[in-house]
Amino acid sequence: LNISPEFAALLLGLVWYTAAFVAEVVRAGIQSVGKGQREAAMSIGLSPHQILNLVILPQALRVIIPPLTSQMLNLTKNSSLAVAIGYPDFVSITGTVINQTGQAIEGVAMIMVVYLCLSLSTSFFMNWYNKRVALVER
């Protein structure tokens, strides 16, 4: 396995940056579940693992999903910063095509369509999952 230094820098930077925000979102979501929920689960004899999986996480996911969607979309947009460190992603490849052909509008339109597709697919999936875990009102 051969990893270039540019790709390693890009990967580590994006992973650490995004992981910090995602961890904060998850922490806030878990803390949003009331203390009484945990106490009630302990009182009926659930193990800590069962408390987390059956009581805390299902309630926390309703709070976690919307800001997590924003973070995933930010990750998609931040990946375009790879050009700044010299990693040849499709933005810089498109730049080369623009320089050689002189068709800037078509090149920029291709970049926009790719990012639009990535963002819309992420948004559709996260919205579908959010509807799946949402509380059903009577």
Side-chain angles (χ1 to χ4, degrees):
L1 186 63
N2 187 10
I3 297 177
S4 69
E6 293 87 3
F7 180 72
L10 170 68
L11 184 65
L12 287 175
L14 284 176
V15 165
W16 287 347
Y17 180 77
T18 305
F21 282 102
V22 170
E24 183 64 21
V25 166
V26 171
R27 182 205 56 81
I30 289 174
Q31 282 187 337
S32 72
V33 178
K35 183 180 175 184
Q37 296 291 320
R38 184 181 316 262
E39 292 171 352
M42 287 190 316
S43 71
I44 61 171
L46 294 177
S47 70
H49 185 268
Q50 288 175 321
I51 292 172
L52 184 65
N53 285 336
L54 300 175
V55 178
I56 304 296
L57 285 181
Q59 295 178 56
L61 280 176
R62 294 182 180 104
V63 177
I64 291 171
I65 296 299
L68 188 63
T69 301
S70 295
Q71 283 306 317
M72 293 302 115
L73 292 172
N74 281 339
L75 175 62
T76 303
K77 291 184 283 187
N78 289 340
S79 68
S80 68
L81 297 175
V83 176
I85 63 168
Y87 186 73
D89 67 341
F90 69 92
V91 175
S92 64
I93 292 170
T94 305
T96 303
V97 170
I98 290 171
N99 287 336
Q100 291 180 354
T101 64
Q103 296 177 334
I105 294 174
E106 291 85 353
V108 172
M110 285 190 327
I111 293 172
M112 290 171 43
V113 168
V114 169
Y115 275 108
L116 178 67
C117 291
L118 290 173
S119 295
L120 286 177
S121 62
T122 301
S123 182
F124 285 141
F125 173 75
M126 295 300 278
N127 285 333
W128 168 80
Y129 188 72
N130 192 26
K131 287 178 185 174
R132 188 169 173 257
V133 298
L135 278 177
V136 178
E137 300 277 333
R138 293 184 192 179

